[in-house]
Amino acid sequence: MSQAQPKPQETAMTFTLPALPYDKAALEPHISAKTMEFHYGKHHNAYVNKANELVKGTPLEGLPLEKAVVESRKQGGAVFNNIGQIYNHNLFWKSMTPNGGGQAPAPLAEKINEAFGSFDKFKEQFIAGGMGQFGSGWVWLVSNKGKLEIVKTANAETPLTDGKTPLLVCDVWEHAYYLDYQNRRADFLTVFIEKLANWKFAVENYKA
Ligand code: MN
């Protein structure tokens, strides 16, 4: 009897790389397929693999992602950096859509006017937030108990651990824009807001 026995079921990995919500060339000409290959295929994938390796046999193994972000933040270090980066990138891909941008729809339009004065002032402050993040990090539009704010975070930090609800996020690590924009971070941030921002996703997050 040489038939192979079924293998024992392998333990499911705690974290997985989610499929991109669009084809990797779908954001061209604003973000190239080549950037997506590196950013999603190499960087994001590496955070997932490293985080799975680091949580193995620890109390973080098997936790849902958002809970793992909050719990790992208490200890910091490599385990938080990798888990935080999974969460941040998951939101970043969804924060963009082909033919995105334009004005924010209701109910966010009104909330943006309340918080920033006008959509143009919001745009200016979002870009300034991304420019003001020295080194690697992220710029976010968040809801702080219903009030909108722009927040910047360094490295893998996320407003989730401050109890704020992320609505939209832009990655300002150099790996996000260097192949397409070299050092021109402001151009990348402008394109993100004007051509790519997924307001439908932001509204869903606001209502959640
Ligand atoms: Mn990134």
Side-chain angles (χ1 to χ4, degrees), residues 39-40 43-44 47 85 88-89 92-93 137-138 171-176:
H39 197 181
Y40 169 76
H43 290 278
H44 192 181
Y47 296 129
Q85 285 294 75
N88 293 353
H89 284 90
F92 176 52
W93 308 130
W138 302 81
D171 188 340
V172 296
W173 284 57
E174 278 191 348
H175 69 214

Side-chain angles (χ1 to χ4, degrees), residues 84-97:
Q85 285 294 75
I86 300 172
Y87 174 78
N88 293 353
H89 284 90
N90 288 359
L91 289 184
F92 176 52
W93 308 130
K94 291 183 179 170
S95 291
M96 301 184 287
T97 186

Side-chain angles (χ1 to χ4, degrees), residues 142-149 162-165:
V142 303
S143 165
N144 185 7
K145 296 169 183 68
K147 189 180 177 298
L148 300 195
E149 294 174 0
D162 294 325
K164 296 177 182 178
T165 307

Side-chain angles (χ1 to χ4, degrees), residues 47-91:
Y47 296 129
V48 172
N49 291 337
K50 190 68 186 173
N52 278 320
E53 187 187 309
L54 292 171
V55 300
K56 215 165 187 169
T58 77
L60 296 168
E61 189 172 11
L63 287 187
L65 180 59
E66 291 197 9
K67 192 145 194 338
V69 169
V70 172
E71 288 306 309
S72 64
R73 179 66 182 77
K74 295 170 187 169
Q75 63 189 86
V79 70
F80 169 72
N81 286 338
N82 284 280
I83 296 171
Q85 285 294 75
I86 300 172
Y87 174 78
N88 293 353
H89 284 90
N90 288 359
L91 289 184

